Amino acid sequence: MRAVVQTVSRAEVTVDGESVGKITDGLLILLGVTHSDTAPVAAKLAAKAYRMRIMDDERSAADLAAPVLVVSQFTLYADTRKGRRPSWNAAAPAEAAQPLVDAFVAALRELGATVATGRFQAHMLVDSTNVGPRTILLEEDAPA
């Protein structure tokens, strides 16, 4: 599982002109799922992202009760090593990925986070203002 975590002053996802998720002063998390991911992996990565001390004054989103916007993003598993057309083979198929994105969101909520989301498999417009800028790639591998 991969997550791109950004501190944002605001972030919003729209689908067909409708706002489906919006936050201020929190974290925007773009989340990619691969074939070997599991619900425990999702929970571990969610805790890591929410408790990571990347907010102002070395505080975490958990410390500040900052909101989180989670957007599924299969393109985080693009393989661009050959040619000009990325391969998406490492990304989990939608029927496997969606429950794990949901598990990630549920884990954040269990930690006390206020969570907004994008819409799975929709053509989303993501608008954000990055603070810092602070952008971190987190990866969590499934146990062997």
Side-chain angles (χ1 to χ4, degrees):
M1 191 167 273
R2 290 182 181 156
V4 173
V5 181
Q6 295 183 314
T7 56
V8 295
S9 62
R10 57 166 212 71
E12 182 175 14
V13 177
T14 58
V15 175
D16 296 329
E18 172 193 357
S19 178
V20 297
K22 185 176 183 177
I23 64 163
T24 57
D25 300 320
L27 297 178
L28 169 61
I29 300 177
L30 307 176
L31 185 66
V33 178
T34 193
H35 302 279
S36 60
D37 288 331
T38 62
V41 168
K44 186 174 178 183
L45 191 65
K48 183 183 253 184
Y50 192 54
R51 293 177 177 149
M52 189 171 35
R53 297 182 333 189
I54 62 168
M55 306 295 281
D56 290 340
D57 300 322
E58 293 189 17
R59 298 179 75 190
S60 69
D63 294 336
L64 301 170
V68 180
L69 175 58
V70 177
V71 178
S72 63
Q73 182 129 10
F74 76 94
T75 60
L76 290 178
Y77 277 99
D79 182 348
T80 59
R81 291 176 289 184
K82 292 184 180 178
R84 296 179 294 136
R85 183 177 298 143
S87 167
W88 312 113
N89 291 338
E95 57 276 0
Q98 185 167 8
L100 294 173
V101 171
D102 293 343
F104 183 89
V105 169
L108 285 170
R109 289 183 174 140
E110 286 175 17
L111 293 168
T114 299
V115 183
T117 64
R119 186 173 295 157
F120 197 84
Q121 280 193 298
H123 184 265
M124 297 178 275
L125 298 179
V126 182
D127 186 28
S128 66
T129 302
N130 189 293
V131 174
R134 287 171 275 203
T135 302
I136 296 176
L137 174 64
L138 294 179
E139 294 186 88
E140 192 64 46
D141 294 325

